[in-house]
Amino acid sequence: MAADKLESTQTVDPGQTMIINLGPQHPSTHGVLRVRLELDGERVVHAEPVVGYLHTGFEKTAENLTYQQCNTITDRLDYLAPMTNNLAYVLAVEKLLGVEVPKRAQYIRVLFAELTRVASHLVWLGTHVMDLGAMSLFFYTMREREVILDLIEDAAGVRMNPSYFRIGGLAYDLPAGFHEKVHEFVKDFPRWMKSYRHLFEGNPLINERLEGIATITQEQALAWSVTGPNLRATGLPIDLRKDEPYSSYEDFDFDVPVRTGADAYARFWVRVDEIYEAMKIIEQAIDKITPTGPYTSSDRKISLPPRDEIYGNMEALIHQFKLVTQGFVVPAGEVYQAVEGPRGEMGFYIVSDGGTKPYRWRARTPSFYNLQTMPLMCKDGLVADVITAIGSIDIMLGDVDK
Amino acid sequence: MNQNDPDIMARLHDQFADKIEDVNAVDQPTLMVALDDLIPVLTFLKTQENYAMCLDVLAVDYLPSRPRFELVYHLYQPWKRARIRVKTRVAIDQSVPTVTTLWPGANWPEREAFDLFGIVFSGHPDLKRIYLPEDWDGHPLRKDYPLTGTRID
């Protein structure tokens, strides 16, 4: 059929729209997101995200686990940045308990929170640029992310879902030789980052697909509860690490990258700049962490006693038994604690009835709120820009569906 | 304790007198209002006090007590970096006025509370289940919903 004939059939009925499903199984949806697209030719009339394909009922499950056990569930929310979720959760419970965490453990928490931020942004960078058509960067970023996962494995024992932070401190102390590995990583990373930049910086193919695409203005971002890099790309320097420092972030010197473009391009560069700032914090943190020292609180009613004490000390054995079989009691009350995750404000709201299990366990996951802006970003855009929009707000479906 | 907007409770008391009730919390200013006063208080916070972000809307089920549910709104003032928590009690047969007219971002969290708790938000633009299938029976986050068991159709 001739092209001009096709065009003429399209102009016959301009009001006629077509419904197309993007996903749930589609590589560019970064998981199992379904977008119900209403199209007028190539133009998007309405894009409605349909979520729930990864819903696992974490909040219900958590209500039936002890406080320390719930920690393992937080890993599985945003599985690209598990340490951030751990951090938000343990800080929330610690606030209710009023427990003091040693400075060294706080610095180690900062170190791992920033390492996961870099790892998460590397996955975002690779997949986002791949969505835009540049395949090769993905292989490099995934390779370098593996170095960070190796560091996590060294400390926590597993690559993903580490549950390394525990209420009261950390699960274990850092292994021998860990400082050297981090120093090596810090030394190598700028070189890797430079090689990535050669692939995307100033690349007209990538810039054309980002500039002016999928705009969320500042008013829209605030009204739709958008947080994190997506909000900072609209010119508001809101970063919880600066505004409400937790886990001794006030001891670190770093900047908050802000852009004013409010489009996919601005969000892209906010995240790239954040990788450098996170590296700055990692460098300072590893210098602040002493090779030996306390890694968990000395409160035996909350933290497990050291292994060697259990075999020789009756009291330690009792504490170990009580903590493992029953858990500890958290005073009745409610608390909300948020941290600055790679995707935005990751918060936990916990209601305690004075028992050993949370009465209500609520995760305020950033991607869930950020994804709501899909219809705004995609309206009147092209189908190809829907892919840009999904990548540019950096959603994580484990986070959306919980 | 977030004290970035220290006088907010005093200003709220000036405006609403005894309609609001202070609640002790370790993290941020918290208040309890009756369901009828919810929208006036939230509107005041949004328009007069510039609490431009509604970070979260969530429900808690206190099963034996009546009214059964508690709704919690977490608000944020982005210029002062201040937080406030507004709570209200909702009975099982009551519907709650939506806040999507004030903060469109409350759309999905309200749908979530409808899906998992069965709380109906009147005036919501698109109130339907968000996580579970349309034909699902029951609301899983209610305390009387079983944790395990086979589904019988």
Side-chain angles (χ1 to χ4, degrees):
Chain A
M1 198 187 285
D4 56 316
K5 202 174 177 193
L6 268 176
E7 212 162 84
S8 67
T9 54
Q10 253 185 12
T11 49
V12 169
D13 192 358
Q16 197 175 34
T17 56
M18 180 169 51
I19 306 284
I20 284 194
N21 276 312
L22 180 75
Q25 301 291 339
H26 190 279
S28 72
T29 56
H30 298 226
V32 278
L33 170 68
R34 177 179 152 210
V35 186
R36 198 173 160 277
L37 288 176
E38 192 180 345
L39 300 177
D40 177 18
E42 182 76 1
R43 292 263 158 210
V44 177
V45 179
H46 186 65
E48 187 199 358
V50 182
V51 300
Y53 290 89
L54 215 59
H55 179 62
T56 23
F58 284 150
E59 291 183 3
K60 183 77 173 175
T61 315
E63 284 172 12
N64 295 279
L65 296 174
T66 65
Y67 282 96
Q68 203 71 274
Q69 286 172 333
C70 289
N71 203 11
T72 56
I73 291 184
T74 63
D75 287 332
R76 286 147 179 86
L77 287 168
D78 177 356
Y79 46 83
L80 288 182
M83 297 283 202
T84 323
N85 311 341
N86 280 181
L87 186 58
Y89 174 68
V90 297
L91 286 175
V93 181
E94 279 163 5
K95 216 179 219 178
L96 265 184
L97 283 165
V99 62
E100 195 64 40
V101 179
K103 216 54 171 171
R104 180 169 180 265
Q106 293 189 14
Y107 290 149
I108 298 175
R109 284 178 176 182
V110 168
L111 173 77
F112 278 101
E114 295 306 315
L115 278 172
T116 44
R117 188 186 312 277
V118 175
S120 169
H121 279 356
L122 284 181
V123 174
W124 159 80
L125 181 64
T127 51
H128 187 38
V129 173
M130 184 166 72
D131 290 344
L132 302 179
M135 191 77 187
S136 46
L137 189 59
F138 178 73
F139 299 107
Y140 296 120
T141 56
M142 289 307 260
R143 189 182 66 190
E144 267 73 275
R145 170 179 176 252
E146 208 61 31
V147 178
I148 299 177
L149 293 184
D150 283 345
L151 288 174
I152 293 174
E153 189 182 0
D154 268 359
V158 278
R159 294 164 66 246
M160 312 268 294
N161 306 329
S163 295
Y164 183 53
F165 303 161
R166 298 287 162 86
I167 295 152
L170 306 166
Y172 327 98
D173 203 354
L174 293 177
F178 186 80
H179 281 65
E180 288 75 55
K181 283 182 186 163
V182 175
H183 281 305
E184 209 171 301
F185 169 71
V186 169
K187 197 173 97 239
D188 288 343
F189 194 79
R191 186 165 47 84
W192 298 334
M193 203 59 203
K194 206 173 160 191
S195 69
Y196 306 156
R197 288 184 78 125
H198 284 309
L199 290 170
F200 61 75
E201 195 170 21
N203 185 332
L205 294 175
I206 288 178
N207 288 356
E208 291 270 310
R209 291 209 52 189
L210 293 173
E211 276 166 343
I213 304 295
T215 309
I216 314 174
T217 62
Q218 194 177 97
E219 290 74 41
Q220 286 173 334
L222 293 175
W224 288 85
S225 318
V226 173
T227 49
N230 304 327
L231 181 58
R232 290 194 283 277
T234 67
L236 263 182
I238 291 184
D239 189 319
L240 299 180
R241 293 173 294 175
K242 285 274 188 207
D243 303 335
E244 299 165 41
Y246 49 87
S247 195
S248 294
Y249 261 106
E250 65 273 17
D251 298 351
F252 294 89
D253 173 39
F254 62 99
D255 297 323
V256 179
V258 177
R259 296 260 165 169
T260 48
D263 56 356
Y265 186 78
R267 295 196 282 276
F268 184 94
W269 280 101
V270 165
R271 288 203 182 83
V272 172
D273 292 343
E274 270 189 14
I275 297 180
Y276 289 100
E277 296 304 320
M279 288 309 293
K280 257 168 76 179
I281 300 174
I282 291 169
E283 233 177 308
Q284 294 166 44
I286 196 67
D287 288 337
K288 282 186 203 287
I289 299 165
T290 50
T292 53
Y295 64 92
T296 183
S297 98
S298 54
D299 190 348
R300 288 280 181 269
K301 299 288 175 212
I302 290 155
S303 308
L304 288 174
R307 209 83 190 131
D308 47 339
E309 241 179 67
I310 297 167
Y311 301 112
N313 185 332
M314 182 68 174
E315 220 169 58
L317 186 65
I318 294 170
H319 280 142
Q320 159 92 10
F321 182 76
K322 287 283 250 185
L323 284 176
V324 172
T325 54
Q326 296 168 9
F328 47 79
V329 168
V330 173
E334 58 187 328
V335 71
Y336 177 79
Q337 170 71 45
V339 303
E340 187 67 40
R343 285 166 186 80
E345 175 166 335
M346 177 76 215
F348 279 95
Y349 174 70
I350 288 164
V351 179
S352 169
D353 59 351
T356 55
K357 292 170 181 174
Y359 189 79
R360 176 82 166 98
W361 187 94
R362 164 76 175 179
R364 193 260 178 218
T365 49
S367 303
F368 183 66
Y369 302 86
N370 295 348
L371 184 60
Q372 285 190 87
T373 54
M374 273 285 289
L376 301 175
M377 288 191 295
C378 299
K379 191 157 172 54
D380 297 330
L382 299 174
V383 177
D385 297 339
V386 175
I387 310 294
T388 311
I390 296 172
S392 75
I393 52 167
D394 190 19
I395 52 155
M396 162 49 53
L397 267 297
D399 217 20
V400 174
D401 290 344
K402 44 184 188 283
Chain B
M1 181 86 174
N2 185 309
Q3 290 287 16
N4 291 340
D5 198 358
D7 307 325
I8 180 68
M9 292 305 277
R11 289 201 299 276
L12 277 164
H13 277 295
D14 285 351
Q15 185 75 20
F16 295 99
D18 52 352
K19 283 180 180 166
I20 58 173
E21 179 192 329
D22 289 17
V23 179
N24 266 333
V26 290
D27 54 338
Q28 54 186 291
T30 305
L31 56 111
M32 175 74 83
V33 295
L35 188 55
D36 294 337
D37 302 325
L38 178 70
I39 292 299
V41 169
L42 291 179
T43 311
F44 174 78
L45 284 169
K46 165 84 196 288
T47 54
Q48 306 294 313
E49 298 290 339
N50 278 326
Y51 278 76
M53 287 179 94
C54 176
L55 288 175
D56 206 357
V57 180
L58 66 110
V60 189
D61 181 4
Y62 293 97
L63 176 58
S65 68
R66 288 183 188 198
R68 178 170 171 175
F69 299 109
E70 216 173 82
L71 265 183
V72 182
Y73 296 83
H74 282 133
L75 309 182
Y76 189 64
Q77 218 284 21
W79 296 280
K80 289 182 183 167
R81 315 285 201 258
R83 291 171 190 276
I84 194 165
R85 178 188 296 133
V86 181
K87 306 207 288 183
T88 185
R89 294 196 184 91
V90 185
I92 194 158
D93 52 354
Q94 273 178 314
S95 70
V96 184
T98 180
V99 297
T100 49
T101 43
L102 295 169
W103 298 280
N107 189 322
W108 280 16
E110 284 188 353
R111 274 178 68 188
E112 194 185 344
F114 168 72
D115 188 359
L116 304 179
F117 285 92
I119 295 172
V120 176
F121 292 89
S122 55
H124 190 285
D126 184 27
L127 193 67
K128 59 184 183 198
R129 283 187 185 270
I130 187 162
Y131 288 144
L132 302 174
E134 291 291 323
D135 60 345
W136 192 268
D137 280 337
H139 304 282
L141 277 182
R142 287 188 177 182
K143 288 285 176 187
D144 53 1
Y145 191 92
L147 185 67
T148 53
T150 39
R151 190 178 165 189
I152 303 158
D153 285 317

